[in-house]
Amino acid sequence: MNGNPDSARFEFLASDGGARRGRLTLRRGSLETPAFMPVGTYGSVKAMTPESLRATRSEIVLGNTFHLFLRPGLEVIAAHGGLHGFMRWPGPILTDSGGFQVFSLAAQRRISEEGVAFASPVDGSRVFLSPESSLRIQRVLDADIAMIFDECTPYPATHAQARESMERSLRWAARSRSAHDGATRSESGASESPNPNALFGIVQGGVFADLRTRSVEALREIGFDGYAVGGLAVGETEHERNAMLDHTCALLPPDRARYLMGVGRPQDIVESVRRGIDMFDCVLPTRNARNGHFFTRDGVVRIRNARYEKDLGPIEEGCECATCAGGFTRAYLRHLDRCGEMLGPMLGTIHNVHHYQTLMRDLRSAIAGGRFEAFADDFHARLAPSGG
């Protein structure tokens, strides 16, 4: 099986070393890569409207299968025609499978070959997720990219533990592929149309190169519309993460998009693009904004610092986001934060997401122009220690 090229068509446009410039065309639109996906866990990117999100030039968002299944439930989302109608976002959406959230519930879960049983963090009820149920949920959500249900290997793990986890994920990957492609029926019993959405596989194997090789080879044999690198950014060192990316990206098919799950900091994104990653997601720009941490090209502005009490400048000089271009000053943002006004996180989130999308746009331009190394050198040189 080779996936469905009509569900996710990746165009390779340029390269500079290992860095790739491309375009991924999906059912509801295309995205330029390298791309960053803001995280909309519960069907919204926190503190942003769809319109403000679009204004940051975001082209795709991530939804959380696990949390949306628990709240509000599939019946409510289905009544809106799927997640796009529910959250009023017209562009592409990627939904994770719930595997990472299950991974984070280590004390409350029980893993078997069939799937994972766990206590709901909402009301304590028993819940069971399997490859089949995860893909069934994602079909109702109707995201443009669904993810296979996998087991996220913990860190640290022995080679034997990582191999057992990776092999289970491969068996679940085959079941996920079958569930995604299989015939489905509506509540009335009538056959529904074939699944028009893409399905991405997830490479596992911890920090062991031989296991990553085995995972990639088996996933390629099954065939997916794109490939994610999972099980990183879970506690390993930066050196270990980069080594696994160097090794894994060299094995992945060049004509499919590559997605590094849960990363990251701007400097981690630059180094991952260097190694051939095309897509990213992370809660950092939104979460940090709610804590008064604003990203700039020269480091992080911590707005709670007393030095900004009378600062009449924007978060970042020259920034074109609605917050900076709109004349909102650091002094005003500090005031909003101290008073607990919700406008503060909203304005900060607009800036942070815009900053990430500007970084991606600059990376795309640098790759297309053969200037990636110069851009990366300048980026790291300008990134001052986070002391602001």
Side-chain angles (χ1 to χ4, degrees):
M1 289 181 281
N2 297 311
N4 180 1
D6 295 328
S7 298
R9 186 175 71 255
F10 182 76
E11 301 173 70
F12 185 86
L13 301 178
S15 64
D16 189 359
R20 293 153 43 104
R21 165 79 174 91
R23 179 177 299 117
L24 180 62
T25 301
L26 300 163
R27 181 181 169 198
R28 293 179 178 86
S30 63
L31 53 141
E32 304 298 308
T33 66
F36 179 80
M37 299 181 286
V39 176
T41 300
Y42 293 100
S44 75
V45 176
K46 291 187 187 301
M48 300 195 80
T49 66
E51 292 75 18
S52 64
L53 193 56
R54 277 289 193 189
T56 67
R57 301 187 184 180
S58 296
E59 296 176 317
I60 181 172
V61 299
L62 182 146
N64 190 289
T65 296
F66 175 86
H67 289 293
L68 290 168
F69 171 59
L70 297 179
R71 288 186 301 189
L74 298 184
E75 182 180 358
V76 172
I77 295 174
H80 290 79
L83 187 54
H84 292 83
F86 186 54
M87 62 186 291
R88 309 309 301 165
W89 173 256
I93 296 176
L94 180 149
T95 47
D96 60 16
S97 66
F100 182 79
Q101 284 69 41
V102 170
F103 160 80
S104 68
L105 296 173
Q108 306 172 49
R109 72 182 186 210
R110 183 175 61 81
I111 300 175
S112 68
E113 187 62 28
E114 286 305 305
V116 185
F118 57 94
S120 166
V122 175
D123 58 12
S125 62
R126 299 303 295 172
V127 181
F128 182 79
L129 274 181
S130 67
E132 292 77 15
S133 63
S134 173
L135 269 296
R136 186 165 56 250
I137 295 164
Q138 292 184 79
R139 180 67 191 270
V140 174
L141 297 178
D142 198 24
D144 303 82
I145 300 175
M147 302 300 298
I148 67 166
F149 187 70
D150 67 329
E151 180 183 347
C152 184
T153 306
Y155 180 91
T158 66
H159 186 277
Q161 291 169 334
R163 183 177 67 179
E164 179 182 6
S165 174
M166 180 272 295
E167 293 287 357
R168 179 181 287 119
S169 285
L170 289 179
R171 294 190 293 274
W172 286 358
R175 287 167 56 188
S176 295
R177 178 84 262 181
S178 295
H180 183 80
D181 296 340
T184 59
R185 293 185 179 276
S186 66
E187 292 183 0
S188 66
S191 295
E192 295 181 347
S193 59
N195 197 326
N197 300 316
L199 180 66
F200 278 25
I202 304 176
V203 180
Q204 291 290 353
V207 294
F208 302 100
D210 63 320
L211 299 183
R212 292 278 174 179
T213 298
R214 158 69 179 151
S215 182
V216 171
E217 290 174 347
L219 290 172
R220 291 189 65 169
E221 180 67 23
I222 297 170
F224 292 96
D225 305 301
Y227 294 85
V229 181
L232 295 178
V234 293
E236 79 284 350
T237 67
E238 183 176 349
H239 172 76
E240 288 174 317
R241 179 169 65 253
N242 288 338
M244 288 302 99
L245 289 177
D246 283 329
H247 178 80
T248 303
C249 286
L251 303 173
L252 292 171
D255 63 341
R256 303 296 165 97
R258 304 166 181 173
Y259 163 32
L260 178 57
M261 305 179 77
V263 173
R265 301 180 306 162
Q267 53 267 48
D268 295 331
I269 288 176
V270 171
E271 289 307 305
S272 300
V273 167
R274 183 196 298 277
R275 291 162 170 82
I277 295 295
D278 305 307
M279 299 169 63
F280 302 86
D281 81 279
C282 192
V283 298
L284 276 183
T286 49
R287 177 181 291 171
N288 282 22
R290 297 194 301 277
N291 289 291
H293 293 190
F294 306 142
F295 291 96
T296 77
R297 289 168 294 176
D298 300 309
V300 176
V301 169
R302 290 177 167 81
I303 205 66
R304 294 171 185 173
N305 193 313
R307 66 191 286 191
Y308 300 122
E309 183 178 4
K310 299 179 181 179
D311 191 329
L312 302 186
I315 295 174
E316 182 174 17
E317 293 289 347
C319 176
E320 297 178 353
C321 79
T323 300
C324 294
F328 296 101
T329 67
R330 292 177 174 184
Y332 181 62
L333 289 162
R334 184 173 186 274
H335 160 74
L336 294 176
D337 182 83
R338 286 174 61 84
C339 295
E341 286 288 341
M342 66 178 67
L343 181 59
M346 292 172 65
L347 292 173
T349 300
I350 287 170
H351 170 82
N352 277 359
V353 173
H354 183 276
H355 176 83
Y356 267 62
Q357 300 300 1
T358 298
L359 171 61
M360 308 316 291
R361 190 167 67 251
D362 290 345
L363 283 166
R364 294 192 294 264
S365 176
I367 295 167
R371 299 178 286 102
F372 175 80
E373 290 299 331
F375 174 86
D377 288 345
D378 180 67
F379 172 87
H380 287 302
R382 291 191 60 165
L383 201 60
S386 300

